[in-house]
Amino acid sequence: MRWMIILPFGAIAVSATAREVVVIKPTANLNTPNSVYVEFDSYQHRSASESHLAEAMYMQIKPSARFDFGLDRVHIGNGASAQTYWNLRYVASPETERMPGLAIGAFEIAPGTHPTFYLTSTRTLKHSALHAGIYLQRNQLGWGVAYQQPTPLNVEVAVEYYRQPGGDGLLSLCLTRPVREHVSVSVYTIANDRTRLLEVIGANVAFNL
């Protein structure tokens, strides 16, 4: 799940506050209320037989600290028309000193599609964060885990593994650096553990307004 807008830059973003996604999947982080997150994304998507440049826009609207919803607009340059998806997320139980945060939601909501529903948790440590979630699509389960760690160079490193419901596993690595108070840039890769292909290579720019 990604929340973005289009520019020759690609797949994850950071703001001055905790992100609502790690690399491609949601977290249980609280929002910055009354704000809008916008991400412009461009990446190379590869398979065993072909390669396409994909462009996307993700926009996430945050009316409160515990609820947000968004619009994802994705176009893969293979002659197909652009696809539009909705998503929503609710932080059912905010993180405390003793308990991880819990959030529920759905993404890839569109006519004629099968949305993915999820339950995800977040645990913030002294200098890092852990995330884990389960995902349900068409009665098939998936799961994911992720780890985030800042570095002394003001670059955040995020590693994520997502086992798609009934599908392949995706291993992602993302480096994100804030460039201004509400602006960040990221570069990332996503590898498929079945085909052994580096399926996605991208970068992005994101704004928390």
Side-chain angles (χ1 to χ4, degrees), residues 19-92:
R19 292 203 304 270
E20 291 78 23
V21 292
V22 185
V23 182
I24 53 178
K25 293 305 163 200
T27 74
N29 292 329
L30 290 173
N31 291 322
T32 302
N34 303 315
S35 66
V36 176
Y37 173 92
V38 177
E39 181 183 339
F40 301 92
D41 194 284
S42 176
Y43 54 93
Q44 197 73 21
H45 186 274
R46 304 192 301 171
S47 66
S49 59
E50 55 187 358
S51 176
H52 299 290
L53 179 66
E55 296 179 325
M57 179 204 77
Y58 304 122
M59 179 170 63
Q60 205 70 12
I61 300 171
K62 311 171 188 180
S64 73
R66 295 175 63 172
F67 175 73
D68 56 78
F69 64 95
L71 173 70
D72 307 337
R73 180 78 171 168
V74 181
H75 179 257
I76 298 177
N78 59 358
S81 59
Q83 301 294 315
T84 301
Y85 304 97
W86 291 91
N87 69 76
L88 52 88
R89 185 187 70 126
Y90 177 68
V91 180

Side-chain angles (χ1 to χ4, degrees), residues 18-23 25-29 95 101 120-124 128-133 135 144-149 156 158-161:
R19 292 203 304 270
E20 291 78 23
V21 292
V22 185
V23 182
K25 293 305 163 200
T27 74
N29 292 329
E95 183 178 9
T120 189
S121 65
T122 292
R123 185 59 174 170
T124 303
S128 60
L130 299 172
H131 309 276
Y135 306 88
V145 292
Y147 176 78
Q148 292 172 286
Q149 174 72 56
E156 182 187 76
V159 179
E160 179 181 79
Y161 182 81

Side-chain angles (χ1 to χ4, degrees), residues 81-144:
S81 59
Q83 301 294 315
T84 301
Y85 304 97
W86 291 91
N87 69 76
L88 52 88
R89 185 187 70 126
Y90 177 68
V91 180
S93 178
E95 183 178 9
T96 67
E97 290 186 4
R98 294 187 176 183
M99 298 295 294
L102 293 175
I104 57 175
F107 54 86
E108 295 180 354
I109 304 169
T113 67
H114 298 278
T116 297
F117 302 91
Y118 65 86
L119 169 68
T120 189
S121 65
T122 292
R123 185 59 174 170
T124 303
L125 307 176
K126 186 175 182 180
H127 297 296
S128 60
L130 299 172
H131 309 276
I134 55 174
Y135 306 88
L136 176 66
Q137 183 187 50
R138 300 185 67 180
N139 298 320
Q140 293 184 308
L141 282 174
W143 57 274

